[in-house]
Amino acid sequence: RDALLVAVRGIPRPPGSLQQLLSPEFVARAASAELSELVMAELLIAAKVLGRVNSPFYGLRHPVTGIGQAVTFLGLNSVRHIFLRYMLSEAFKPELASSQRVFDTIWKASAIASELSVRLGKALNLPDQGGLATQVVLSFVGHLASASLMPPAELENWLSRGRVERTAHE
C-alpha cells in the first residue's frame, strides 16, 4: 500500500492551464478568443494546433499562421481535444520505449471513443457535444495511470486482458 501511494504521488499534476481548460466555468463560457489565449500560453500546444490546421488533411491554399485563426478553423472542440491529449500524454509517459505501444493503444482507443461520442452526440442532438467528448477522453485517465504504475514487463499482458481481468490484475 505504501509503495502504491508513493507511485501515485509520483504521477505529475497537470499544469494549471489544463485545469483551467477542464473547469466547468471555462467549458461553459469559453469562446474562441479565450481558448486562443490559453493555447498561446502553451507554446508546444500552439505548434501542434498550427501543425494540425496546416496539415495536408485540410488542403488549405495558404498556411494559417495565427492561433486565433486556427481555433476558428478547427473549432473549439478540436482544439480542446488537441490541448487535452497533449497535456495528458505529457503527464503519462512510459518509462521505457518498449512500453510506448501500450500507451499508444490507450491513446488511440480514447481518440476513437471521443470521435464516436461526438458523432453520437450530433446524431442524438445532444447539448454540449464537446463536453461529452472531453469526458470520454478523461475516462481513459485511469487506464493511463494504471499503465504508468504497472511494471513495464507486465504491460503487454495487462493490456491483452478484458476489463474485469485487468482490474483484478491491477
Side-chain angles (χ1 to χ4, degrees), residues 27-110:
V27 171
R29 69 168 169 71
S32 178
E34 286 135 347
L35 185 56
S36 296
E37 283 180 33
L38 194 60
V39 169
M40 285 189 291
E42 300 288 340
L43 295 178
L44 289 173
I45 294 173
K48 286 196 174 288
V49 169
L50 288 174
R52 172 76 56 88
V53 76
N54 289 309
S55 70
F57 178 77
Y58 293 106
L60 299 177
R61 292 181 187 204
H62 302 288
V64 172
T65 58
I67 294 298
Q69 188 181 10
V71 169
T72 301
F73 183 83
L74 292 173
L76 295 174
N77 293 333
S78 293
V79 174
R80 185 181 295 139
H81 290 143
I82 293 168
F83 197 112
L84 178 63
R85 289 192 54 169
Y86 177 76
M87 290 303 227
L88 288 175
S89 69
E90 285 299 300
F92 296 104
K93 286 187 176 181
E95 290 178 17
L96 303 174
S98 60
S99 303
Q100 187 64 49
R101 190 192 82 74
V102 171
F103 284 80
D104 289 345
T105 300
I106 295 169
W107 278 119
K108 286 177 187 171
S110 77

